[in-house]
Amino acid sequence: MTSSYDAVLSDLDGVLRQFDHAAQADIEARYGLPLIKTAFAPERILPATLGQITEAQWVESIAEALGGDERARAASAEFAQVPFWVDEEVRALLAKAQERVPVILLTNAMDTLESHLDLLGLTHFADAVVSSARVGLAKPDPRIYELAAEVAGVAPERCLFVDDRLENVEAARALGMAGVHFTAAADLAEALGR
């Protein structure tokens, strides 16, 4: 069977790496602060994912936005330490795909990405990693998809792109990539023909 792609570009967060969203909600409820909305507001998250500020500075910006007192700092610090793990089913699917095509992690990440990949045992998992914090571009900017395709050595229209955010998938599709809106491992399995 001839596949319609020669490389897989996969998002990290929400696809291969999962965060404990119940823990995030619990921290927010215990402190009575709008942590999630504040942390992921574009004016705070974008500079961090573009490598303009560090993760530590991002955490500080959350605390400042929440009033800058001791409670806001404690809540922000705890929020930044929420547990995460690898979705082993997704890892197995990507590893199987990697037997015949390059797998590139294409992620909007912060300066701590490499240490997080190390913690997860993923440092040498992908053929390459394209991190927004390292290249100064973030999804859904078309240039980061083009860069990832170039790193894979494949034309954009020969790439399969997987992401949990529909706007990112649509941006990839606009470049001619096959796009998978990830909601569960079954979505990826179907796209990979497994």
Side-chain angles (χ1 to χ4, degrees):
M1 175 180 117
T2 308
S3 70
S4 58
Y5 58 88
D6 296 321
V8 176
L9 312 180
S10 177
D11 180 32
L12 177 64
D13 295 332
V15 178
L16 183 57
R17 169 168 69 168
Q18 300 296 329
F19 282 86
D20 191 336
H21 296 297
Q24 288 176 330
D26 176 63
I27 295 164
E28 192 169 79
R30 277 191 289 110
Y31 284 96
L33 294 169
L35 281 158
I36 296 168
K37 180 179 163 193
T38 304
F40 298 110
E43 66 271 18
R44 268 176 288 288
I45 195 70
L46 205 54
T49 56
L50 288 173
Q52 297 164 351
I53 63 171
T54 64
E55 183 179 287
Q57 289 169 317
W58 172 67
V59 174
E60 175 63 22
S61 77
I62 299 166
E64 288 297 321
L66 294 171
D69 61 9
E70 196 175 312
R71 186 163 139 269
R73 288 184 197 297
S76 301
E78 195 176 331
F79 184 80
Q81 297 302 315
V82 163
F84 52 79
W85 61 88
V86 173
D87 182 320
E88 292 300 339
E89 193 176 352
V90 172
R91 185 204 305 242
L93 287 165
L94 291 174
K96 186 75 178 157
Q98 201 173 25
E99 290 173 6
R100 49 183 204 77
V101 299
V103 171
I104 311 296
L105 292 181
L106 173 53
T107 180
N108 285 359
M110 298 187 200
D111 67 314
T112 49
L113 175 66
E114 292 81 4
S115 63
H116 287 189
L117 290 176
D118 194 43
L119 282 170
L120 292 166
L122 293 175
T123 298
H124 303 291
F125 173 72
D127 293 282
V129 177
V130 176
S131 165
S132 62
R134 300 296 176 216
V135 301
L137 300 166
K139 296 174 293 184
D141 186 323
R143 294 173 297 171
I144 197 167
Y145 300 89
E146 290 165 347
L147 177 61
E150 191 178 307
V151 167
V154 173
E157 58 273 15
R158 299 295 300 164
C159 292
L160 175 69
F161 174 74
V162 186
D163 201 293
D164 62 321
R165 296 181 64 94
L166 185 56
E167 70 211 53
N168 293 342
V169 175
E170 288 171 344
R173 287 176 179 155
L175 290 172
M177 293 182 177
V180 178
H181 181 214
F182 182 93
T183 59
D187 301 323
L188 180 58
E190 183 180 349
L192 294 174
R194 299 280 174 256

